[in-house]
Amino acid sequence: MTTNSFASRDQLDVGGTRYEVHRIDRIVGSARLPYSLKVLLENLLRNEDGTVVTAAQVEAVRDWDPTSEQNPEIQYTPARVLMQDFTGVPCVVDLVAMRDAMTELGGPPAKINPQIPAELVIDHSVIAEAFASAEAFGINSQLEFERNKERYQLLRWGQQAFDDFLVVPPDTGICHQVNLEYLSRVTFTRERDGVTQAYPDTLVGTDSHTPMVNGLGVLGWGVGGIEAEAAMLGQPISMLIPQVIGVRLNGELTDGTTATDLVLTVAELLRSIGVVGKFVEFFGPSVQHVPLATRATIGNMSPEYGSTATMFPIDDVTLDYLRLTGRADQQIALVEAYAKLQGLWHDPDHVPDFSRIVDLDLSTVEASIAGPSRPQDRIPLGDAPRTVLGLFGDQVGSRTPGGVDSASAASFPASDPIAPGSLAGHDAPPRHITADQLTANEKLGWPSDPVEVSIDGRDAIIDHGDVVIAAITSCTNTSNPAVMLAAALLAKNAVEKGLRTRPWVKTTLAPGSRAVTDYFDRSGLTPYLDQLGFHLVGYGCTTCIGNSGPLIPEVSGAIGENDLNVSAVLSGNRNFEGRIHPEVRMNFLASPPLVIAYALAGSMHTDLLTEPLNANDDGDPVYLRDIWPSEEDIQKAVDENVEAGMFTKGYSDVYAGDGNWRSMSIPDGDVYDWDETSTYIQRPPFFDGMTREPQPITDISGARVLAKLGDSVTTDHISPAGAIKLDGPAGRYLTENGIERADFNSYGSRRGNHHVMIRGTFANVRLRNQLVPGVEGGVTKHWPDGEQMTIYDASVAYQKDAVPLVVLAGKDYGSGSSRDWAAKGTRLLGVRAVIAESYERIHRSNLIGMGVLPLQFQDGDSAESLDLIGDEVYSVSGIADGDGVADEVTVTVESGGQTREFGAKVRIDTPAEAAYYLNDGILQYVLRNLLAKA
């Protein structure tokens, strides 16, 4: 129970049901706070216990200084956790392993359960292999299940074995849209000690695009797997009270502009002012003119402009959306009553205290795309050909190797990419071609290396600037019926004008939920999308995370043999080079109707505002303006075809799954029956040798340097999520276990197998280990012999000789994605400590959570200034300080018979972090606490 120091506990009656609430207005001065900070304030009031959450933390939010860049730290407890399968599987694996450990230590395994509701949506594993055919969805779904059956068996078992853990099966929708349409409560309720509490719905998610739900007034953001596990197990999240940027909206969008155009404008605006690590809130008179789906689209792009969360307040638009998506009347009434009671209802005339206010007039938004490799690089649609031409000078003939997700430095925490699958065969669209590429190339001086190909028996010409992927993708736009139906209406108009998509374009449609298919079918527009090759390929994250599948073979061959610089156009949110497809160097974000327009034009050469998209069979030119649907037609299609029944019916059996899911043989029992032959799921060794009481922490002696790294080493460098090299340690492991190269899948998909992930740690092909200058990849030198070998092989050799390891690094170590295996793999390689100039906060915390000591050079010191080569022997003394951890330690370096010392800071910054380290990790800490209460 809360200590209720501020007398905030009260009652709220809604529809005859009484709820316990904690009144925000009991805190004098709270009315000045932005919406998101009021949510944090309520969180602290409700969870105040005098130990973890203190009155001082409540006062820190009350006294928040909008201008300060370093506000106090608080302990935040989300209402629930949302996961997708790539990042969620290792969380479940750890929970299952904790049950085994609980059993071995004599406790009840069923005690290991999520302490707050956890929901996992399987959406990251479908690949757009088959396309442009009515069978594409079935083929891709079957391939997905066959490849991932071992992972799905674990999740299916967890669904029945764990309390407060729900799994949405594959082929249902993406986690963010299922969250928006079904999972989110807006106002959360939970029974505690016979009392029904009501409080703001909040969450953390293991995907960077969790802020999509901010559009619904729900505070949530993306975290790494270790943070998510900690939250599931009842541990609060340490966070600094952020700055909050206010965006005041005026005016209305003009005809011809879409939610995507607004999103790209917002991304450009917010990137320009700098919002990384901050909250953003929209307010002002025109908030009421922004539909809920558009709000969600803006929130979804938060990682692309760097904010932690991008909030819209609760208002009538929120309530209308809850009605549309079939929420219960009592829940909607509770949301309204609670928001108004707590000062969380939007008042267009109220201006909270913001760290900064920026203005945006919606009427200034124009049709746009963004690219070729960053979401914030907005291009007015009419400027696209000239802008792309200007980019060719640096790109034609100078291929930049892909492989490292360039999101990591600028869009934390990143949703993890996966390498495209390798599958023989495809469904190429049988389309007629009008070959006018050579004439187009002569305009504006386009570089040209035309290649003649035959696609499905028809001649075509492939050249620089051609669009080879046109994908209506799931994440950013398909929560928005207006833009989706606009695309479908444009397809109808195009077909009726006699247009066809170009044969070299791979066309895909991957909605975020089944509701999209329902309103396409109801409107009668599905056949027109199909005629243009935009058949359903799956309900999941496809092209945007790199699951785009293979290109049309003839196109792929032309690109590879002639080093062509070709493009993808997608209605997603990420477009980094090497992410969408390894053969595609330019990737442009666009609205769904513009995706279809570019599929019709087939090239970035075309000025869609002034030039024809193509000619029909009679040779008549057809322009974009000829087929663009009117605002009246779009709104009519939405009004007539989108209704609450679609959502209530679609989600009535959301956890049931298809025949493949239901037919899996899942054993009963509180502990999991591990399959020792599985190459996807293995019991991790985190709890091996664990005792009931933590062992005293010890100093480190006789350690060797596993890797010496420079500045800005990202978690993608430490733990890649993409392709597995055939000749690397992980590839050799899979080969030795009978896995063919075509079935390697990716590191991201194999996160449930520590044998793969250890071998992949520090295995990024772009890693530069200064112990082996001039060499890229996961290579090091083994000391004292100086033999060059893989980092994994060196680790095995060191651990065989009981030699502890350290890593030396520069500034911003661990920036980028909050990838859990970057810390887990480091620990399992035998690394006891990392010594860096500075850390990214989450990775530093994750290292502690895995029992790895993060040390920081003293100000002004570095590996270079201290002349640390990396071939020395290292010892760290003075780690323990009584019953806790010291603030500083002494590092002793031995080399060539000489010994020298330097001091280093211990970057264990909070009591909770100290407790985790003293227990050898956060999972061990939680397990011991639960064991003590059993």
Side-chain angles (χ1 to χ4, degrees), residues 896-923:
Q898 295 184 335
T899 300
R900 52 202 170 101
E901 296 180 348
F902 63 90
K905 304 173 186 176
V906 176
R907 288 300 315 277
I908 295 179
D909 298 349
T910 68
E913 290 178 348
Y916 300 156
Y917 183 74
L918 291 169
N919 277 270
D920 202 31
I922 189 171
L923 300 179

PDB file of all heavy atoms in Angstrom, residues 896-923:
ATOM      1  N   GLY A 896      55.459  -6.112 -19.723  1.00  0.00           N
ATOM      2  CA  GLY A 896      56.913  -6.071 -19.852  1.00  0.00           C
ATOM      3  C   GLY A 896      57.638  -5.967 -18.534  1.00  0.00           C
ATOM      4  O   GLY A 896      58.702  -5.329 -18.458  1.00  0.00           O
ATOM      5  N   GLY A 897      57.076  -6.560 -17.511  1.00  0.00           N
ATOM      6  CA  GLY A 897      57.713  -6.508 -16.212  1.00  0.00           C
ATOM      7  C   GLY A 897      57.479  -5.224 -15.447  1.00  0.00           C
ATOM      8  O   GLY A 897      57.970  -5.072 -14.320  1.00  0.00           O
ATOM      9  N   GLN A 898      56.745  -4.287 -16.025  1.00  0.00           N
ATOM     10  CA  GLN A 898      56.468  -3.020 -15.357  1.00  0.00           C
ATOM     11  C   GLN A 898      54.994  -2.958 -14.943  1.00  0.00           C
ATOM     12  O   GLN A 898      54.120  -3.519 -15.613  1.00  0.00           O
ATOM     13  CB  GLN A 898      56.796  -1.838 -16.275  1.00  0.00           C
ATOM     14  CG  GLN A 898      58.274  -1.729 -16.618  1.00  0.00           C
ATOM     15  CD  GLN A 898      58.576  -0.500 -17.452  1.00  0.00           C
ATOM     16  OE1 GLN A 898      57.698   0.008 -18.151  1.00  0.00           O
ATOM     17  NE2 GLN A 898      59.814  -0.024 -17.383  1.00  0.00           N
ATOM     18  N   THR A 899      54.754  -2.250 -13.830  1.00  0.00           N
ATOM     19  CA  THR A 899      53.402  -2.105 -13.295  1.00  0.00           C
ATOM     20  C   THR A 899      53.067  -0.633 -13.134  1.00  0.00           C
ATOM     21  O   THR A 899      53.892   0.154 -12.680  1.00  0.00           O
ATOM     22  CB  THR A 899      53.290  -2.805 -11.932  1.00  0.00           C
ATOM     23  OG1 THR A 899      53.575  -4.198 -12.093  1.00  0.00           O
ATOM     24  CG2 THR A 899      51.879  -2.657 -11.360  1.00  0.00           C
ATOM     25  N   ARG A 900      51.867  -0.257 -13.520  1.00  0.00           N
ATOM     26  CA  ARG A 900      51.384   1.111 -13.323  1.00  0.00           C
ATOM     27  C   ARG A 900      49.908   1.064 -12.940  1.00  0.00           C
ATOM     28  O   ARG A 900      49.230   0.047 -13.162  1.00  0.00           O
ATOM     29  CB  ARG A 900      51.609   1.992 -14.556  1.00  0.00           C
ATOM     30  CG  ARG A 900      51.094   1.415 -15.849  1.00  0.00           C
ATOM     31  CD  ARG A 900      51.806   2.036 -17.070  1.00  0.00           C
ATOM     32  NE  ARG A 900      51.492   1.348 -18.308  1.00  0.00           N
ATOM     33  CZ  ARG A 900      50.616   1.769 -19.201  1.00  0.00           C
ATOM     34  NH1 ARG A 900      49.960   2.919 -18.991  1.00  0.00           N
ATOM     35  NH2 ARG A 900      50.392   1.094 -20.296  1.00  0.00           N
ATOM     36  N   GLU A 901      49.415   2.156 -12.397  1.00  0.00           N
ATOM     37  CA  GLU A 901      48.050   2.207 -11.903  1.00  0.00           C
ATOM     38  C   GLU A 901      47.326   3.457 -12.394  1.00  0.00           C
ATOM     39  O   GLU A 901      47.964   4.472 -12.691  1.00  0.00           O
ATOM     40  CB  GLU A 901      48.029   2.205 -10.357  1.00  0.00           C
ATOM     41  CG  GLU A 901      48.570   0.960  -9.713  1.00  0.00           C
ATOM     42  CD  GLU A 901      48.516   1.049  -8.193  1.00  0.00           C
ATOM     43  OE1 GLU A 901      48.262   2.171  -7.683  1.00  0.00           O
ATOM     44  OE2 GLU A 901      48.701   0.021  -7.523  1.00  0.00           O
ATOM     45  N   PHE A 902      46.007   3.346 -12.477  1.00  0.00           N
ATOM     46  CA  PHE A 902      45.174   4.535 -12.687  1.00  0.00           C
ATOM     47  C   PHE A 902      43.828   4.307 -12.005  1.00  0.00           C
ATOM     48  O   PHE A 902      43.404   3.163 -11.779  1.00  0.00           O
ATOM     49  CB  PHE A 902      44.997   4.857 -14.181  1.00  0.00           C
ATOM     50  CG  PHE A 902      44.281   3.803 -14.992  1.00  0.00           C
ATOM     51  CD1 PHE A 902      42.896   3.828 -15.134  1.00  0.00           C
ATOM     52  CD2 PHE A 902      44.988   2.787 -15.638  1.00  0.00           C
ATOM     53  CE1 PHE A 902      42.231   2.870 -15.886  1.00  0.00           C
ATOM     54  CE2 PHE A 902      44.337   1.826 -16.393  1.00  0.00           C
ATOM     55  CZ  PHE A 902      42.952   1.867 -16.520  1.00  0.00           C
ATOM     56  N   GLY A 903      43.183   5.400 -11.668  1.00  0.00           N
ATOM     57  CA  GLY A 903      41.882   5.314 -11.021  1.00  0.00           C
ATOM     58  C   GLY A 903      40.752   5.315 -12.035  1.00  0.00           C
ATOM     59  O   GLY A 903      40.879   5.858 -13.143  1.00  0.00           O
ATOM     60  N   ALA A 904      39.655   4.684 -11.661  1.00  0.00           N
ATOM     61  CA  ALA A 904      38.473   4.659 -12.531  1.00  0.00           C
ATOM     62  C   ALA A 904      37.223   4.790 -11.683  1.00  0.00           C
ATOM     63  O   ALA A 904      37.162   4.318 -10.540  1.00  0.00           O
ATOM     64  CB  ALA A 904      38.432   3.376 -13.353  1.00  0.00           C
ATOM     65  N   LYS A 905      36.224   5.463 -12.240  1.00  0.00           N
ATOM     66  CA  LYS A 905      34.946   5.625 -11.557  1.00  0.00           C
ATOM     67  C   LYS A 905      34.107   4.358 -11.747  1.00  0.00           C
ATOM     68  O   LYS A 905      34.098   3.764 -12.825  1.00  0.00           O
ATOM     69  CB  LYS A 905      34.160   6.811 -12.132  1.00  0.00           C
ATOM     70  CG  LYS A 905      34.898   8.133 -12.096  1.00  0.00           C
ATOM     71  CD  LYS A 905      34.086   9.203 -12.845  1.00  0.00           C
ATOM     72  CE  LYS A 905      34.848  10.504 -12.959  1.00  0.00           C
ATOM     73  NZ  LYS A 905      34.105  11.509 -13.770  1.00  0.00           N
ATOM     74  N   VAL A 906      33.391   3.978 -10.696  1.00  0.00           N
ATOM     75  CA  VAL A 906      32.428   2.882 -10.804  1.00  0.00           C
ATOM     76  C   VAL A 906      31.088   3.491 -11.191  1.00  0.00           C
ATOM     77  O   VAL A 906      30.517   4.282 -10.445  1.00  0.00           O
ATOM     78  CB  VAL A 906      32.308   2.123  -9.474  1.00  0.00           C
ATOM     79  CG1 VAL A 906      31.236   1.042  -9.580  1.00  0.00           C
ATOM     80  CG2 VAL A 906      33.645   1.507  -9.092  1.00  0.00           C
ATOM     81  N   ARG A 907      30.572   3.131 -12.370  1.00  0.00           N
ATOM     82  CA  ARG A 907      29.336   3.737 -12.850  1.00  0.00           C
ATOM     83  C   ARG A 907      28.123   2.905 -12.439  1.00  0.00           C
ATOM     84  O   ARG A 907      27.319   2.491 -13.265  1.00  0.00           O
ATOM     85  CB  ARG A 907      29.391   3.919 -14.364  1.00  0.00           C
ATOM     86  CG  ARG A 907      30.335   5.022 -14.831  1.00  0.00           C
ATOM     87  CD  ARG A 907      29.949   6.400 -14.266  1.00  0.00           C
ATOM     88  NE  ARG A 907      28.522   6.659 -14.365  1.00  0.00           N
ATOM     89  CZ  ARG A 907      27.923   7.116 -15.465  1.00  0.00           C
ATOM     90  NH1 ARG A 907      28.645   7.379 -16.546  1.00  0.00           N
ATOM     91  NH2 ARG A 907      26.624   7.322 -15.487  1.00  0.00           N
ATOM     92  N   ILE A 908      28.037   2.642 -11.151  1.00  0.00           N
ATOM     93  CA  ILE A 908      26.825   2.090 -10.552  1.00  0.00           C
ATOM     94  C   ILE A 908      26.192   3.247  -9.812  1.00  0.00           C
ATOM     95  O   ILE A 908      26.676   3.670  -8.770  1.00  0.00           O
ATOM     96  CB  ILE A 908      27.154   0.906  -9.626  1.00  0.00           C
ATOM     97  CG1 ILE A 908      27.725  -0.245 -10.464  1.00  0.00           C
ATOM     98  CG2 ILE A 908      25.927   0.456  -8.851  1.00  0.00           C
ATOM     99  CD1 ILE A 908      28.120  -1.465  -9.663  1.00  0.00           C
ATOM    100  N   ASP A 909      25.125   3.806 -10.388  1.00  0.00           N
ATOM    101  CA  ASP A 909      24.666   5.144 -10.004  1.00  0.00           C
ATOM    102  C   ASP A 909      23.513   5.182  -9.019  1.00  0.00           C
ATOM    103  O   ASP A 909      23.197   6.253  -8.494  1.00  0.00           O
ATOM    104  CB  ASP A 909      24.279   5.932 -11.262  1.00  0.00           C
ATOM    105  CG  ASP A 909      25.450   6.145 -12.206  1.00  0.00           C
ATOM    106  OD1 ASP A 909      26.591   5.869 -11.802  1.00  0.00           O
ATOM    107  OD2 ASP A 909      25.212   6.579 -13.352  1.00  0.00           O
ATOM    108  N   THR A 910      22.835   4.059  -8.794  1.00  0.00           N
ATOM    109  CA  THR A 910      21.671   4.076  -7.903  1.00  0.00           C
ATOM    110  C   THR A 910      21.735   2.880  -6.956  1.00  0.00           C
ATOM    111  O   THR A 910      22.406   1.877  -7.234  1.00  0.00           O
ATOM    112  CB  THR A 910      20.355   3.992  -8.699  1.00  0.00           C
ATOM    113  OG1 THR A 910      20.260   2.696  -9.311  1.00  0.00           O
ATOM    114  CG2 THR A 910      20.295   5.061  -9.781  1.00  0.00           C
ATOM    115  N   PRO A 911      21.014   2.956  -5.833  1.00  0.00           N
ATOM    116  CA  PRO A 911      20.965   1.806  -4.918  1.00  0.00           C
ATOM    117  C   PRO A 911      20.438   0.536  -5.592  1.00  0.00           C
ATOM    118  O   PRO A 911      20.908  -0.567  -5.303  1.00  0.00           O
ATOM    119  CB  PRO A 911      20.028   2.283  -3.805  1.00  0.00           C
ATOM    120  CG  PRO A 911      20.156   3.775  -3.822  1.00  0.00           C
ATOM    121  CD  PRO A 911      20.342   4.143  -5.258  1.00  0.00           C
ATOM    122  N   ALA A 912      19.464   0.696  -6.483  1.00  0.00           N
ATOM    123  CA  ALA A 912      18.922  -0.480  -7.169  1.00  0.00           C
ATOM    124  C   ALA A 912      19.992  -1.141  -8.029  1.00  0.00           C
ATOM    125  O   ALA A 912      20.128  -2.372  -8.044  1.00  0.00           O
ATOM    126  CB  ALA A 912      17.725  -0.087  -8.022  1.00  0.00           C
ATOM    127  N   GLU A 913      20.769  -0.341  -8.747  1.00  0.00           N
ATOM    128  CA  GLU A 913      21.841  -0.907  -9.560  1.00  0.00           C
ATOM    129  C   GLU A 913      22.870  -1.623  -8.697  1.00  0.00           C
ATOM    130  O   GLU A 913      23.393  -2.674  -9.070  1.00  0.00           O
ATOM    131  CB  GLU A 913      22.508   0.195 -10.389  1.00  0.00           C
ATOM    132  CG  GLU A 913      21.636   0.735 -11.499  1.00  0.00           C
ATOM    133  CD  GLU A 913      22.295   1.861 -12.273  1.00  0.00           C
ATOM    134  OE1 GLU A 913      23.334   2.391 -11.817  1.00  0.00           O
ATOM    135  OE2 GLU A 913      21.771   2.229 -13.347  1.00  0.00           O
ATOM    136  N   ALA A 914      23.173  -1.055  -7.532  1.00  0.00           N
ATOM    137  CA  ALA A 914      24.112  -1.702  -6.620  1.00  0.00           C
ATOM    138  C   ALA A 914      23.577  -3.056  -6.160  1.00  0.00           C
ATOM    139  O   ALA A 914      24.326  -4.043  -6.091  1.00  0.00           O
ATOM    140  CB  ALA A 914      24.387  -0.797  -5.420  1.00  0.00           C
ATOM    141  N   ALA A 915      22.278  -3.107  -5.870  1.00  0.00           N
ATOM    142  CA  ALA A 915      21.677  -4.372  -5.442  1.00  0.00           C
ATOM    143  C   ALA A 915      21.765  -5.412  -6.547  1.00  0.00           C
ATOM    144  O   ALA A 915      22.035  -6.596  -6.285  1.00  0.00           O
ATOM    145  CB  ALA A 915      20.226  -4.149  -5.032  1.00  0.00           C
ATOM    146  N   TYR A 916      21.538  -4.992  -7.787  1.00  0.00           N
ATOM    147  CA  TYR A 916      21.631  -5.932  -8.904  1.00  0.00           C
ATOM    148  C   TYR A 916      23.054  -6.475  -9.028  1.00  0.00           C
ATOM    149  O   TYR A 916      23.268  -7.677  -9.202  1.00  0.00           O
ATOM    150  CB  TYR A 916      21.225  -5.248 -10.217  1.00  0.00           C
ATOM    151  CG  TYR A 916      19.805  -4.711 -10.243  1.00  0.00           C
ATOM    152  CD1 TYR A 916      19.448  -3.672 -11.104  1.00  0.00           C
ATOM    153  CD2 TYR A 916      18.826  -5.237  -9.412  1.00  0.00           C
ATOM    154  CE1 TYR A 916      18.164  -3.171 -11.129  1.00  0.00           C
ATOM    155  CE2 TYR A 916      17.526  -4.738  -9.433  1.00  0.00           C
ATOM    156  CZ  TYR A 916      17.209  -3.700 -10.298  1.00  0.00           C
ATOM    157  OH  TYR A 916      15.930  -3.204 -10.320  1.00  0.00           O
ATOM    158  N   TYR A 917      24.043  -5.578  -8.953  1.00  0.00           N
ATOM    159  CA  TYR A 917      25.432  -6.014  -9.123  1.00  0.00           C
ATOM    160  C   TYR A 917      25.856  -6.940  -7.983  1.00  0.00           C
ATOM    161  O   TYR A 917      26.534  -7.952  -8.207  1.00  0.00           O
ATOM    162  CB  TYR A 917      26.368  -4.811  -9.198  1.00  0.00           C
ATOM    163  CG  TYR A 917      27.805  -5.206  -9.453  1.00  0.00           C
ATOM    164  CD1 TYR A 917      28.213  -5.648 -10.709  1.00  0.00           C
ATOM    165  CD2 TYR A 917      28.742  -5.173  -8.418  1.00  0.00           C
ATOM    166  CE1 TYR A 917      29.530  -6.036 -10.932  1.00  0.00           C
ATOM    167  CE2 TYR A 917      30.059  -5.561  -8.639  1.00  0.00           C
ATOM    168  CZ  TYR A 917      30.445  -5.988  -9.899  1.00  0.00           C
ATOM    169  OH  TYR A 917      31.752  -6.382 -10.118  1.00  0.00           O
ATOM    170  N   LEU A 918      25.437  -6.620  -6.762  1.00  0.00           N
ATOM    171  CA  LEU A 918      25.792  -7.458  -5.619  1.00  0.00           C
ATOM    172  C   LEU A 918      25.172  -8.848  -5.719  1.00  0.00           C
ATOM    173  O   LEU A 918      25.664  -9.802  -5.109  1.00  0.00           O
ATOM    174  CB  LEU A 918      25.342  -6.782  -4.318  1.00  0.00           C
ATOM    175  CG  LEU A 918      26.113  -5.520  -3.928  1.00  0.00           C
ATOM    176  CD1 LEU A 918      25.400  -4.795  -2.795  1.00  0.00           C
ATOM    177  CD2 LEU A 918      27.546  -5.854  -3.539  1.00  0.00           C
ATOM    178  N   ASN A 919      24.104  -8.979  -6.482  1.00  0.00           N
ATOM    179  CA  ASN A 919      23.455 -10.277  -6.688  1.00  0.00           C
ATOM    180  C   ASN A 919      23.904 -10.960  -7.971  1.00  0.00           C
ATOM    181  O   ASN A 919      23.347 -11.977  -8.356  1.00  0.00           O
ATOM    182  CB  ASN A 919      21.936 -10.127  -6.692  1.00  0.00           C
ATOM    183  CG  ASN A 919      21.343 -10.095  -5.308  1.00  0.00           C
ATOM    184  OD1 ASN A 919      20.996 -11.127  -4.751  1.00  0.00           O
ATOM    185  ND2 ASN A 919      21.248  -8.896  -4.728  1.00  0.00           N
ATOM    186  N   ASP A 920      24.895 -10.365  -8.650  1.00  0.00           N
ATOM    187  CA  ASP A 920      25.430 -10.900  -9.903  1.00  0.00           C
ATOM    188  C   ASP A 920      24.446 -10.741 -11.056  1.00  0.00           C
ATOM    189  O   ASP A 920      24.563 -11.404 -12.077  1.00  0.00           O
ATOM    190  CB  ASP A 920      25.822 -12.376  -9.765  1.00  0.00           C
ATOM    191  CG  ASP A 920      26.848 -12.801 -10.818  1.00  0.00           C
ATOM    192  OD1 ASP A 920      27.660 -11.949 -11.231  1.00  0.00           O
ATOM    193  OD2 ASP A 920      26.808 -13.974 -11.247  1.00  0.00           O
ATOM    194  N   GLY A 921      23.464  -9.860 -10.911  1.00  0.00           N
ATOM    195  CA  GLY A 921      22.556  -9.586 -12.008  1.00  0.00           C
ATOM    196  C   GLY A 921      21.143  -9.345 -11.531  1.00  0.00           C
ATOM    197  O   GLY A 921      20.756  -9.741 -10.420  1.00  0.00           O
ATOM    198  N   ILE A 922      20.348  -8.711 -12.372  1.00  0.00           N
ATOM    199  CA  ILE A 922      18.995  -8.343 -11.986  1.00  0.00           C
ATOM    200  C   ILE A 922      18.082  -9.561 -11.872  1.00  0.00           C
ATOM    201  O   ILE A 922      17.219  -9.628 -10.996  1.00  0.00           O
ATOM    202  CB  ILE A 922      18.419  -7.309 -12.989  1.00  0.00           C
ATOM    203  CG1 ILE A 922      17.095  -6.755 -12.477  1.00  0.00           C
ATOM    204  CG2 ILE A 922      18.263  -7.910 -14.374  1.00  0.00           C
ATOM    205  CD1 ILE A 922      16.596  -5.584 -13.298  1.00  0.00           C
ATOM    206  N   LEU A 923      18.268 -10.550 -12.752  1.00  0.00           N
ATOM    207  CA  LEU A 923      17.405 -11.725 -12.693  1.00  0.00           C
ATOM    208  C   LEU A 923      17.666 -12.519 -11.418  1.00  0.00           C
ATOM    209  O   LEU A 923      16.734 -13.033 -10.786  1.00  0.00           O
ATOM    210  CB  LEU A 923      17.634 -12.597 -13.928  1.00  0.00           C
ATOM    211  CG  LEU A 923      17.338 -11.934 -15.277  1.00  0.00           C
ATOM    212  CD1 LEU A 923      17.620 -12.902 -16.420  1.00  0.00           C
ATOM    213  CD2 LEU A 923      15.904 -11.441 -15.344  1.00  0.00           C
TER     214      LEU A 923
END
